[in-house]
Amino acid sequence: MIGALAAIAALWLLGRGLRPRGAEESTGEALGLDFLFGAGLGSLVFFLFALRSIVWAFVAVYGTLLVSVVIEAIRGRGLPRLRFERSAMAVALLLLASVHILRGFRDSLAGDGYAHWGWKSKAMYLTGRVPTERLQDRERFGYANPDYPFLWPSLQTWTYLHMGEQNDEAVRILGAAFLLALAGVFVGRLRIGTVAALAAAIVLLAPRQWIRSGASGLAEPPLCAYLFAGLAAVAEFAESPSKSAAARAGFFLGFAGWTKNDGLAAVAVGGMLLGILAIRKQGGRPAAVSIGLFAIVVISVLLPWDLYKHVHDIRGYYSIGTAPVSEAGARLELIALSLKSNAMDFHRWLLIWPVLLVGVTLALPSLRRSASARVYLLGGTGIFLCYLAALLLSPLDPGWQIPTTMPRLLMQVEAPLVWCVAFAAQEATLASPARS
Amino acid sequence: MAAAVYVVTGIAALFAARELWRWFRTRPFRADRRTLLRLVLGAMAVLGFGYSVPREARNAIEKIGPSSPLPPDVSACSSLIAEHVPFGRSVLVVLPQAWSLRDRKYLETNLNYLVCPLRIDYAVDSRKVAHDYRDVDRATAGYSDPLQFFRPLSAERYDFVLVFRPEPPPRGYERLDENERAVLYRRGP
C-alpha cells in the first residue's frame, strides 16, 4: 500500500507546484485542488509518453514533478500547515471519509470497473504502452468503450508501477482519494460557515451510491471532482473575473473531458457560461483574453487524445449512427421511469433527489441574487440536460443504457446542486472562506 | 466489531447533532424558506450520517454486502487457462447455453480482468438457440459471441478452446486438461 500512497502523494506534489492559485483558498480546498490538478496533468504527461513506453512515462512524470518541486521552492510554498477544525461535524465527516477509505480496502470493483477501465489499465501495464492495436480491434474490445479517454487508466497504471503489480486495492484507494479531494473543494467553496459546510459535505458523500462508487473502479469519482472544481472556478470568475480563474476553469473542465466523454458536456456548458460572463462583466479585449485563455487551456488538455483517436481511427458507438427520432417518446418515458426509480431508491440515494428538487426550488430567490450560485445551478442543470440529449440520441439499446447510466449521471451533477441548497440555507458570506 | 461501529457512530452523531442544533439556533426561528432549507439540510446530514456510516462501515468490516470471492465457474476457468495457456496465445471460451446473459457477462468481465485481458474471446454454440429473440434469423451454425452483436467466431482462429460442461468438444482440437466444470482443448497437429 505504501506504493499506492506514494503514487497519490507524487500527484499531489505535482499539482502543488504547478497549479494556478485562486485568491482565497482554505487548506482543505487547496489540498484537494492540488491533487486534482496533479492527477490531471500527471495523467496527460503519462499518456503522451506511454504511447512509446510506460517506463518512459513513469520517468517523464517524475521529471515534471522535479520541475514542480523547484517551482514550489522558488515560490516559497513548502508544505501546507494542516489545521484541524475542533468541531463534532468535522469528526463526523472524518468518520464518513474513513468509511470511504475502508471500502477501498475491502470492496470489489464494479463490472465496468473490470471490463472498461480496468481492462485498459491492465492492457497498458501488460503490453508496456498504450494498447493501440487492442483499442482498434472493435470486434473484440468494442464493449470496453475504446474511444473513452485515458486519464483514469493512466492513473491506474501509474499506481501499478509504484506497487510493481496490478492491484485492485490501489484502484479503489485512488477512487477514494478523488472523493476526498472533492469533499475538500466542496467544503472550501461553500463559504457559509464551518458547520453548515461540513453538514452539506456529509449530505453529498453519505449516500450508498457515493460510497460504492469510490471503490468501484469506475471513472465517476474523478469526473465528479473535476466537474465541480471546474464549475467552482467559473463561479469564482463570475464573482471577480480574472485570467487565473479562466485558466483554472479551463484546466479542471478540460480534465473532466479527459476523464470521460461525459465530461465534454461540462466543457461545453462551463465554457458557455464563462464566455457569457466574460462578455457581460469584462467586455471588449479583456473578455477576448479570458475566453481565449480558457479555450487554449481546454484545447491543450483535450487535443492529444483527439489527435490520437483520429490518427488511429478509434471510434465510439456514436459512429454507428444515432437513434431514430421515432424512438424519442419511448426513450423519454424510459428516462422518466429511471429518474423516478432513482428518486425513490432510499437505500441508494437516501431520498436526496426529491429533497434537492424541493430544496433548489425553495432556494431560487437566494440563488438568483448570487452570481456564483447561478453558475452552479445553471452549470449542474445544463450538464444534466446535455446528458439527457445524449441518451435520446444514443444508438445503443435504451432499455439497457438508460437505467444503467442514470445513477452515474445523477451523481455527476449532484455536488453543484447540493451546493446551491446549502448556500441558500445559510446567509451567504462569500468574502470569507470556510476553514477546514 | 459491529457493536463498536454503532457505539462510535452513535457518540459522534450525538455531538454532531448538538452542533447542528446550535447552528440552527444562530438564526431566529421564522416560518420562511430559509428556515425550511436549514431544517432540510440538517435533517439530511443527520439521516446521511446516521444511516450510511454505521451500515457501510459494518458492511466493509464484516463483508455482508454483495462482494464475494470469485464464483467456482470463474475459478475453474481461470485456473485451467493460467496453468496451460502461455501469455500471448489466444483462447476461445465456450460458455454454457443455459447460462443467462448476466452470468456470461460476469464470467467475461472477471476473466478478462483477472486472467488474460488480451487473449480471450467468448462464444456460445449458436446451433442451439438464438440469444435474443430479435436476432433469431442471425443464429447460424458454429460459435457466436454472446455479447458482441452475434459476431460469428471460428474455432480455427484460436490456439486453445476451453469448453464449459456440458457443451460438446470442438472439432480439430485435442483434449489437454479438465476439471469439474470445464475442459481445455489445444489445436490438434
Side-chain angles (χ1 to χ4, degrees):
Chain A
M1 243 336 94
I2 291 173
L5 293 177
I8 290 170
L11 295 174
W12 169 75
L13 206 56
L14 183 65
R16 182 152 180 83
L18 300 179
R19 178 174 69 86
R21 303 271 139 169
E24 292 175 7
E25 288 173 359
S26 64
T27 311
E29 185 182 357
L31 282 171
L33 289 174
D34 288 343
F35 172 71
L36 292 179
F37 188 84
L41 187 68
S43 64
L44 204 55
V45 172
F46 190 92
F47 170 76
L48 287 172
F49 283 85
L51 291 170
R52 181 76 184 164
S53 151
I54 56 172
V55 179
W56 286 25
F58 187 81
V59 173
V61 176
Y62 269 104
T64 318
L65 178 60
L66 193 66
V67 173
S68 163
V69 171
V70 170
I71 291 174
E72 215 169 308
I74 292 168
R75 288 180 179 171
R77 275 181 188 165
L79 294 173
R81 249 179 276 158
L82 290 178
R83 229 179 11 178
F84 290 100
E85 194 63 41
R86 292 180 63 180
S87 149
M89 289 305 290
V91 173
L93 188 59
L94 275 178
L95 276 176
L96 181 58
S98 65
V99 171
H100 276 274
I101 294 168
L102 197 63
R103 287 300 289 251
F105 281 110
R106 299 295 301 264
D107 221 327
S108 58
L109 301 185
D112 284 1
Y114 287 124
H116 296 182
W117 306 104
W119 175 79
K120 284 178 181 168
S121 55
K122 284 195 114 179
M124 201 194 304
Y125 185 76
L126 286 171
T127 54
R129 58 192 179 84
V130 177
T132 305
E133 307 81 46
R134 271 83 184 183
L135 295 174
Q136 286 171 318
D137 190 351
R138 260 208 76 77
E139 279 207 352
R140 287 184 75 191
F141 301 114
Y143 69 87
N145 288 339
D147 64 316
Y148 274 40
F150 257 67
L151 176 138
W152 193 222
S154 296
L155 291 178
Q156 292 184 6
T157 311
W158 162 256
T159 315
Y160 293 159
L161 286 169
H162 279 80
M163 303 186 76
E165 61 174 3
Q166 302 151 42
N167 188 304
D168 290 356
E169 258 180 29
V171 173
R172 296 194 290 264
I173 296 295
L174 208 51
F178 272 102
L179 289 187
L180 297 186
L182 169 63
V185 180
F186 184 81
V187 172
R189 300 305 300 184
L190 255 179
R191 290 163 183 179
I192 57 172
T194 309
V195 174
L198 292 171
I202 289 175
V203 172
L204 176 69
L205 295 176
R208 184 168 203 278
Q209 173 72 21
W210 283 84
I211 292 176
R212 180 73 188 96
S213 179
S216 64
L218 300 176
E220 265 60 38
L223 180 56
C224 293
Y226 284 124
L227 191 151
F228 185 80
L231 286 183
V234 178
E236 191 180 316
F237 187 87
E239 291 293 336
S240 81
S242 68
K243 281 188 269 187
S244 164
R248 265 178 291 128
F251 275 117
F252 288 119
L253 291 173
F255 289 146
W258 163 234
T259 305
K260 212 176 164 190
N261 285 355
D262 311 17
L264 296 174
V267 176
V269 173
M272 204 169 65
L273 287 173
L274 188 125
I276 293 168
L277 286 166
I279 292 166
R280 285 179 60 180
K281 296 213 165 198
Q282 293 181 300
R285 191 180 157 81
V289 170
S290 294
I291 295 169
L293 190 61
F294 174 85
I296 288 169
V297 172
V298 166
I299 289 168
S300 56
V301 171
L302 297 179
L303 192 64
W305 175 247
D306 277 341
L307 276 178
Y308 172 80
K309 279 197 302 183
H310 184 73
V311 168
H312 296 288
D313 193 29
I314 293 169
R315 282 175 288 172
Y317 53 78
Y318 276 99
S319 64
I320 59 176
T322 53
V325 180
S326 57
E327 277 188 15
R331 282 171 182 262
L332 280 172
E333 193 181 338
L334 275 171
I335 288 170
L337 284 173
S338 183
L339 284 173
K340 186 184 158 203
S341 73
N342 275 285
M344 294 295 127
D345 191 339
F346 179 82
H347 182 56
R348 175 180 261 180
W349 287 110
L350 299 177
L351 297 180
I352 187 81
W353 287 103
V355 168
L356 278 181
L357 193 66
V358 174
V360 168
T361 311
L362 286 173
L364 276 178
S366 302
L367 301 177
R368 283 166 63 184
R369 285 194 294 272
S370 159
S372 55
R374 285 198 298 268
V375 167
Y376 287 109
L377 181 63
L378 291 174
T381 47
I383 291 166
F384 191 66
L385 287 175
C386 290
Y387 291 162
L388 296 187
L391 287 177
L392 284 176
L393 295 171
S394 167
L396 299 185
D397 173 15
W400 161 79
Q401 191 183 28
I402 291 172
T404 310
T405 53
M406 191 58 80
R408 301 177 196 174
L409 301 180
L410 285 169
M411 198 182 149
Q412 288 163 23
V413 296
E414 191 187 334
L417 298 180
V418 174
W419 188 98
C420 289
V421 173
F423 172 83
Q426 179 76 323
E427 293 289 347
T429 50
L430 281 164
S432 58
R435 288 174 296 148
S436 55
Chain B
M1 200 63 179
V5 167
Y6 284 113
V7 168
V8 171
T9 314
I11 292 171
L14 277 178
F15 281 102
R18 195 178 69 158
E19 211 167 83
L20 263 180
W21 177 242
R22 279 189 196 150
W23 165 73
F24 188 75
R25 293 192 55 181
T26 52
R27 184 173 180 272
F29 188 88
R30 289 190 214 115
D32 61 3
R33 287 171 190 236
R34 182 156 288 135
T35 305
L36 193 56
L37 284 169
R38 287 158 74 87
L39 268 175
V40 164
L41 185 69
M44 288 304 286
V46 170
L47 176 69
F49 184 78
Y51 182 81
S52 267
V53 170
R55 196 169 196 286
E56 299 300 332
R58 213 185 125 206
N59 201 351
I61 291 168
E62 298 183 350
K63 299 284 274 181
I64 57 172
S67 45
S68 58
L70 285 176
D73 291 318
V74 180
S75 302
C77 190
S78 64
S79 63
L80 281 177
I81 293 175
E83 193 176 336
H84 295 287
V85 182
F87 184 73
R89 310 294 286 277
S90 57
V91 192
L92 179 69
V93 176
V94 181
L95 304 170
Q97 283 287 342
W99 281 12
S100 67
L101 189 68
R102 187 191 166 97
D103 288 341
R104 291 174 192 157
K105 178 76 179 166
Y106 190 76
L107 180 116
E108 174 180 336
T109 52
N110 276 288
L111 272 182
N112 254 352
Y113 185 73
L114 292 167
V115 188
C116 32
L118 309 177
R119 55 198 169 119
I120 292 187
D121 265 339
Y122 302 87
V124 287
D125 184 344
S126 61
R127 280 168 293 201
K128 291 180 183 169
V129 290
H131 318 294
D132 183 326
Y133 66 94
R134 289 170 297 191
D135 287 290
V136 69
D137 296 335
R138 295 172 62 187
T140 51
Y143 296 116
S144 72
D145 186 327
L147 300 171
Q148 299 296 310
F149 314 110
F150 299 82
R151 172 173 58 119
L153 298 170
S154 165
E156 288 80 55
R157 270 183 59 188
Y158 299 91
D159 303 312
F160 296 85
V161 177
L162 190 138
V163 180
F164 269 86
R165 296 178 196 280
E167 298 303 307
R171 272 175 291 175
Y173 282 76
E174 59 187 30
R175 181 183 291 250
L176 187 63
D177 196 2
E178 63 182 298
N179 60 29
E180 72 283 4
R181 290 183 187 260
V183 184
L184 182 67
Y185 296 90
R186 181 171 52 194
R187 195 204 299 270

